[in-house]
């Protein structure tokens, strides 16, 4: 119903805020990370929203970025992850970190969210892995220094570097994050990417 709302933050509680927009106060459920990003009462913000309508309730869920909103929509399609579970996961990890965890099969990272057990975390990975590609993970996000895949050879080299890092004992999430930050050129081989990625881990 609402794509986003712009207004002034009037109230903040543990998992909710009141946003005044057009002289109307909207109760919006948000994650802990979103609350942290918003700042203090009185801040003027733009909140991307998801509207949930049920027979006995009408609820708004808010996010600071469209990226967070998009991954939330994917999360709530998973059996056992409702809006509350989706916010819990996005409270402990960013959208990008969640993609890393899904693609690398890192259920332990997802299970750190309150109320999300190991089985539910594994279900998130199982249901969403096909909806998120490794190329999307590598080329997405906030790291300005990384480049999108420039061809099949570079893509393969990145993947081999990730596999090498996991073989060295790093988690899939750590490996993906490190390799993603490397600005890969056509002249770089797997060893070059690996060495550069290790600098971001240490």
């Amino acid at each position: 119903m609402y794509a986003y709302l712009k207004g002034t933050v009037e109230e903040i509680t543990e998992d909710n805020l009141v946003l005044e927009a057009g002289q109307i106060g909207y109760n919006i459920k948000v994650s802990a990370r979103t609350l942290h990003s918003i700042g203090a009462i009185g801040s003027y913000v733009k909140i991307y929203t998801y509207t949930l309508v049920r027979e006995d309730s009408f609820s708004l869920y808010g996010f600071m970025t469209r990226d967070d909103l998009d991954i939330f929509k994917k999360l709530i399609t998973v059996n056992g992850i409702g809006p509350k579970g989706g916010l819990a996961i996005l409270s402990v990890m960013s959208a990008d970190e969640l993609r890393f965890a899904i693609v690398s099969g890192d259920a332990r990272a997802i299970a750190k969210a309150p109320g999300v057990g190991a089985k539910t975390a594994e279900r998130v990975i199982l249901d969403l892995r096909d909806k998120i590609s490794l190329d999307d993970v590598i080329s997405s996000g906030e790291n300005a220094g990384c480049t999108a895949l420039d061809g099949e050879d570079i893509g393969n080299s990145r993947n081999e570097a990730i596999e090498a890092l996991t073989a060295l004992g790093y988690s899939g999430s750590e490996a993906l994050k490190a390799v993603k930050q490397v600005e890969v050129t056509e002249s770089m081989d797997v060893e070059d990417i690996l060495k550069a990625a290790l600098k971001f881990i240490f």
Side-chain angles (χ1 to χ4, degrees):
M1 179 178 290
Y2 304 109
Y4 61 82
L5 293 169
K6 286 183 179 181
T8 304
V9 178
E10 295 294 329
E11 296 178 24
I12 295 176
T13 59
E14 183 177 348
D15 59 356
N16 190 86
L17 63 84
V18 175
L19 187 75
E20 183 177 329
Q23 297 184 327
I24 298 174
Y26 295 90
N27 273 307
I28 305 175
K29 298 181 185 300
V30 293
S31 70
R33 292 178 70 92
T34 297
L35 281 179
H36 180 74
S37 298
I38 283 171
I41 291 174
S43 301
Y44 185 83
V45 296
K46 177 179 181 179
I47 301 288
Y48 293 93
T49 57
Y50 175 81
T51 307
L52 179 65
V53 180
R54 291 177 174 161
E55 289 185 8
D56 58 346
S57 66
F58 179 98
S59 302
L60 284 175
Y61 296 83
F63 309 89
M64 292 300 291
T65 67
R66 195 182 300 276
D67 193 32
D68 285 346
L69 172 60
D70 289 344
I71 201 73
F72 175 79
K73 288 179 179 178
K74 286 183 173 70
L75 275 172
I76 61 177
T77 66
V78 178
N79 185 30
I81 297 287
K84 184 176 180 180
L87 286 185
I89 291 173
L90 291 175
S91 288
V92 298
M93 58 200 323
S94 68
D96 231 15
E97 290 169 339
L98 177 57
R99 289 192 191 94
F100 287 135
I102 291 170
V103 173
S104 63
D106 191 354
R108 291 177 61 185
I110 300 172
K112 290 179 181 178
V116 177
K119 289 185 178 180
T120 303
E122 289 170 2
R123 189 178 302 124
V124 169
I125 293 169
L126 183 64
D127 288 1
L128 298 186
R129 179 174 277 166
D130 291 341
K131 299 178 182 179
I132 298 172
S133 72
L134 179 60
D135 290 0
D136 290 339
V137 173
I138 291 174
S139 62
S140 71
E142 302 172 352
N143 296 301
C146 72
T147 59
L149 295 178
D150 297 313
E152 186 176 352
D153 289 342
I154 290 180
N156 290 338
S157 295
R158 284 183 185 270
N159 294 345
E160 289 179 30
I162 291 168
E163 291 173 2
L165 284 171
T166 55
L168 289 172
Y170 297 103
S171 70
S173 295
E174 289 174 326
L176 279 166
K177 286 179 186 178
V179 171
K180 180 180 174 181
Q181 294 180 79
V182 177
E183 188 169 353
V184 181
T185 64
E186 293 183 5
S187 63
M188 297 174 71
D189 59 17
V190 176
E191 186 176 350
D192 294 329
I193 297 172
L194 184 59
K195 288 178 180 178
L198 284 169
K199 293 178 183 178
F200 289 105
I201 292 179
F202 297 112

